[in-house]
Amino acid sequence: GGTYLIDMEGRVVHTWSKVRTNPRFLDNGNILDSSTDDPSRGSGFVEVDWDDNVVWRYTDIRSDYAPHHDFIRIFNKKLGSYTTLYIANKTVAQEQAIAAGCDPSGNYKDAQMDAIVEVDMDGNIVWEWWFFDHVVQDIDPTKANYVGQGKTIADYPGRINLNLPGRPVKRDWLH
């Protein structure tokens, strides 16, 4: 029902009630955590101060994104301010999967692929990197991400094979 700071003798030093899933201490002494009890089905993040007051909240309202348990607050030198990086499951539609070169005989209902999202302190998305933009396949030569004549998936390190044997693209595929 909360988060507890415990000293080296096992005594509770401090408690917070508004964070309880995957809390992380920030450099400023505040705590950043997922905003829901289930980090695998999150919607955003909450930052609380020492007195359990919410000082920052972010909710990803995009219907095809589901932030989850991996996140970190960083200082973005280019922006000159703090931002939060997080991983989100991003929906891949059936048509999108086929268009990218997934095996057309597959069922890609509820398919997802992780995205790394960076949000500033005003809640603006300032950067995003989606695994789906870095895939390769060897099934359909008409697609732009086809391996090419005489090449194999192994010729593309840093790319993800959309058609891994026995591992079709599905919900939470890269987890």
Side-chain angles (χ1 to χ4, degrees), residues 24-43:
R24 318 250 171 112
F25 265 121
L26 299 176
D27 291 341
N28 63 6
N30 291 347
I31 293 181
L32 181 63
D33 197 6
S34 299
S35 60
T36 59
D37 286 342
D38 181 357
S40 64
R41 301 225 194 295
S43 61

Side-chain angles (χ1 to χ4, degrees), residues 7-132:
D7 69 15
M8 297 306 289
E9 280 74 45
R11 295 179 299 239
V12 175
V13 176
H14 198 75
T15 61
W16 294 266
S17 65
K18 293 181 180 135
V19 291
R20 56 178 68 103
T21 305
N22 194 12
R24 318 250 171 112
F25 265 121
L26 299 176
D27 291 341
N28 63 6
N30 291 347
I31 293 181
L32 181 63
D33 197 6
S34 299
S35 60
T36 59
D37 286 342
D38 181 357
S40 64
R41 301 225 194 295
S43 61
F45 305 94
V46 62
E47 178 182 347
V48 298
D49 64 14
W50 187 260
D51 297 319
D52 211 24
N53 299 306
V54 174
V55 296
W56 182 76
R57 182 181 303 272
Y58 170 74
T59 302
D60 194 329
I61 58 172
R62 299 173 293 172
S63 63
D64 53 344
Y65 286 77
H68 55 84
H69 56 84
D70 207 358
F71 56 91
I72 189 169
R73 174 74 50 82
I74 65 166
F75 185 80
N76 182 316
K77 292 179 185 177
K78 186 174 180 181
L79 298 177
S81 62
Y82 285 95
T83 60
T84 301
L85 286 168
Y86 64 92
I87 295 179
N89 288 327
K90 183 176 176 185
T91 301
V92 177
Q94 173 84 13
E95 303 77 29
Q96 200 173 15
I98 301 297
C102 284
D103 182 347
S105 66
N107 178 1
Y108 305 104
K109 183 181 179 210
D110 300 323
Q112 298 172 318
M113 205 170 293
D114 284 336
I116 302 169
V117 181
E118 183 176 12
V119 61
D120 67 16
M121 299 307 291
D122 293 324
N124 301 307
I125 295 168
V126 296
W127 179 79
E128 183 174 324
W129 191 93
W130 191 25
F131 283 89
F132 195 74

